[in-house]
């Protein structure tokens, strides 16, 4: 058998040449391959996706797909979810293995276990705490949640998942995005004082035993650097210029931004709300740049003005890593009988992570 095609042969191809190869190899692979694309993917890649969506929609898609190869144009944790939820004979592929998620990297296993042990010295964790992880986390954290009778959530089902969790136990330990946890908890009527932040670099999370006993939600101190760029002042100054503006934000944006927003929702929800809005409306959007640019373009014919909230162009640099060169490379290799960049979660970890993912799919 011939060797796998080397990536460096593709690095020098221009986007048009890659496009032609992607279209040709997709036709050859037919229904043996499905390409899933997250809404933050750049246009040059996004246009080749068979299905696009937010994390919840794409994880459902991975679970039901019959394709032998699931090529995930997204980030590493998404391809892990595809691997965990698909059949053992299916193969999940991430075109660029360096496409990670900085938020997911903020909750590593050692610090998570240390947090659990420290909490256990103060409260009865097994009977009073449900661990919940945002899907933007590594498989080992999902496995931790599965092992402790916990659950996964996404930005579109977080409220349902918190309700599920509180029906089981009185407290939630929420990983790794403090903002999604806080914004969701507040919408559900939990006061800010009962949502404390666990600083994983401090002993006992920087909290007193009393704060831990009184908390409803303990929020891991993680965040998304892309959504961190959105500030409440940007909303104020934009509204001064254009008072008619409607503001819509992803729940990974901070509490102050979400409080000033008219709508909060996942990527899929943001698209739906703006698309269905009345013509000639003006929108200020707090989420990743590629999505906002595409939406602005799409809505222009209806007279809708769609603006990006931050003054600097903050895009997700790891989502951006997937380019037509990497996509052409993995697909050409599949046609020539080679699997490159397979994402494979170790069996024991996958079994536990699956418990937490299945809990989510059932609860939402
Ligand atoms: P969605 O599930 O809303 O698409 O969010 C995924 C993500 O990574 C947002 O930063
Ligand atoms: Fe991770 Fe933020 Fe990129 Fe989403 S936008 S993948 S949370 S770094």
């Amino acid at each position: 058998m011939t060797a796998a095609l080397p990536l460096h042969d593709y690095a020098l191809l221009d986007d048009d040449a890659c496009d032609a190869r992607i279209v040709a190899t997709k036709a050859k692979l037919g229904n043996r391959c499905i390409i899933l694309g997250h809404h933050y993917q750049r246009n040059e890649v996004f246009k080749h996706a068979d299905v696009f969506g937010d994390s919840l929609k794409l994880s459902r898609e991975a679970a039901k797909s019959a394709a032998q190869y699931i090529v995930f144009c997204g980030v590493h944790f998404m391809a892990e979810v595809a691997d965990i939820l698909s059949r053992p004979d299916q193969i999940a592929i991430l075109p660029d293995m360096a496409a990670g998620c900085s938020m997911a990297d903020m909750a590593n296993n050692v610090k998570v276990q240390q947090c659990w042990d420290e909490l256990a010295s103060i409260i009865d964790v097994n009977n009073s705490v449900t661990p919940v992880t945002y899907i933007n986390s590594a498989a080992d954290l999902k496995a931790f949640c599965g092992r402790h009778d916990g659950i996964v959530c996404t930005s579109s089902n977080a409220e349902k998942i918190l309700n599920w969790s509180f029906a089981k136990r009185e407290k939630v330990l929420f990983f790794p995005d403090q903002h999604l946890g806080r914004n969701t908890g507040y919408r559900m009527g939990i006061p800010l004082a009962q949502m404390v932040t666990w600083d994983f670099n401090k002993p006992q999370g920087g909290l007193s035993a009393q704060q831990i006993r009184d908390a409803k939600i303990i929020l891991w101190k993680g965040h998304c650097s892309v959504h961190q760029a959105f500030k409440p002042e940007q909303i104020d100054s934009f509204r001064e210029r254009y008072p008619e503006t409607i503001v819509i934000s992803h729940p990974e944006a901070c509490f102050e931004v979400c409080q000033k927003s008219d709508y909060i929702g996942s990527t899929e929800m943001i698209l739906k709300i703006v698309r269905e809005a009345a013509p000639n409306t003006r929108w200020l959007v707090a989420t990743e740049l590629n999505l906002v640019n595409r939406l602005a373009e799409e809505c222009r014919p209806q007279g809708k003005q769609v603006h990006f909230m931050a003054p600097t162009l903050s895009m997700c640099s790891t989502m951006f890593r997937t380019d037509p060169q990497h996509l052409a490379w993995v697909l050409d290799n599949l046609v020539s009988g080679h699997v490159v960049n397979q994402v494979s979660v170790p069996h024991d970890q996958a079994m536990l992570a699956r418990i937490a993912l299945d809990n989510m799919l059932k609860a939402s």
Side-chain angles (χ1 to χ4, degrees), residues 15-293:
D15 287 2
D16 288 343
C18 291
D19 261 5
R21 280 168 183 255
I22 293 167
V23 170
T25 45
K26 273 188 77 178
K28 281 188 198 152
L29 289 164
N31 57 15
R32 285 195 293 143
C33 174
I34 186 169
I35 300 180
L36 304 181
H38 187 264
H39 289 305
Y40 292 166
Q41 290 291 296
R42 46 161 110 179
N43 283 342
E44 308 87 285
V45 168
F46 191 78
K47 67 182 174 193
H48 294 296
D50 298 301
V51 181
F52 30 81
D54 63 6
S55 309
L56 182 61
K57 181 172 164 192
L58 293 177
S59 57
R60 285 202 174 116
E61 217 42 65
K64 74 173 192 217
S65 170
Q68 186 182 355
Y69 306 116
I70 303 171
V71 176
F72 218 122
C73 296
V75 286
H76 194 266
F77 72 81
M78 297 179 176
E80 281 185 334
V81 170
D83 179 52
I84 295 165
L85 292 179
S86 57
R87 294 187 319 266
D89 59 303
Q90 290 176 294
I91 291 175
I93 292 169
L94 186 69
D96 186 344
M97 284 297 201
C101 165
S102 54
M103 176 200 284
D105 293 342
M106 287 176 196
N108 78 54
N109 220 5
V110 175
K111 300 244 172 178
V112 166
Q113 190 56 52
Q114 185 186 4
C115 164
W116 191 252
D117 294 344
E118 287 185 347
L119 288 176
S121 69
I122 297 163
I123 49 178
D124 175 4
V125 280
N126 292 321
N127 290 310
S128 66
V129 182
T130 304
V132 178
T133 185
Y134 188 21
I135 199 164
N136 296 30
S137 55
D140 59 8
L141 179 46
K142 294 185 180 82
F144 172 90
C145 291
R147 191 181 316 124
H148 294 283
D149 199 17
I151 192 163
V152 174
C153 77
T154 75
S155 58
S156 54
N157 62 18
E159 187 164 338
K160 269 192 197 143
I161 301 303
L162 286 187
N163 279 323
W164 181 95
S165 308
F166 286 126
K168 280 178 155 278
R169 299 183 196 87
E170 73 196 56
K171 292 184 198 296
V172 160
L173 175 58
F174 192 92
F175 302 101
D177 185 18
Q178 56 171 310
H179 300 299
L180 176 65
R182 189 178 293 109
N183 288 324
T184 310
Y186 193 77
R187 267 215 309 263
M188 293 166 66
I190 302 173
L192 287 179
Q194 284 183 9
M195 293 189 276
V196 294
T197 311
W198 182 275
D199 184 341
F200 47 84
N201 285 321
K202 292 189 178 155
Q204 208 171 280
L207 299 169
S208 68
Q210 198 55 45
Q211 281 176 302
I212 291 168
R213 279 190 207 101
D214 291 344
K216 280 291 283 175
I217 307 185
I218 300 165
L219 302 162
W220 192 258
K221 200 179 177 189
H223 65 266
C224 165
S225 40
V226 176
H227 290 81
Q228 194 94 327
F230 305 118
K231 307 280 178 218
E233 307 82 74
Q234 293 154 4
I235 302 180
D236 295 340
S237 68
F238 201 86
R239 276 192 174 133
E240 260 170 45
R241 271 189 292 155
Y242 305 107
E244 76 280 14
T245 301
I246 311 167
V247 181
I248 187 162
S249 300
H250 194 279
E252 286 176 20
C254 70
F255 180 72
E256 294 75 14
V257 164
C258 287
Q259 283 302 296
K260 282 182 183 275
S261 300
D262 300 290
Y263 297 96
I264 302 167
S266 74
T267 54
E268 191 80 8
M269 187 56 73
I270 290 174
L271 292 167
K272 181 175 158 52
I273 291 174
V274 178
R275 280 177 181 147
E276 290 175 0
N280 304 316
T281 41
R282 186 184 294 278
W283 292 83
L284 187 64
V285 185
T287 198
E288 207 267 350
L289 187 64
N290 282 290
L291 179 155
V292 181
N293 282 346

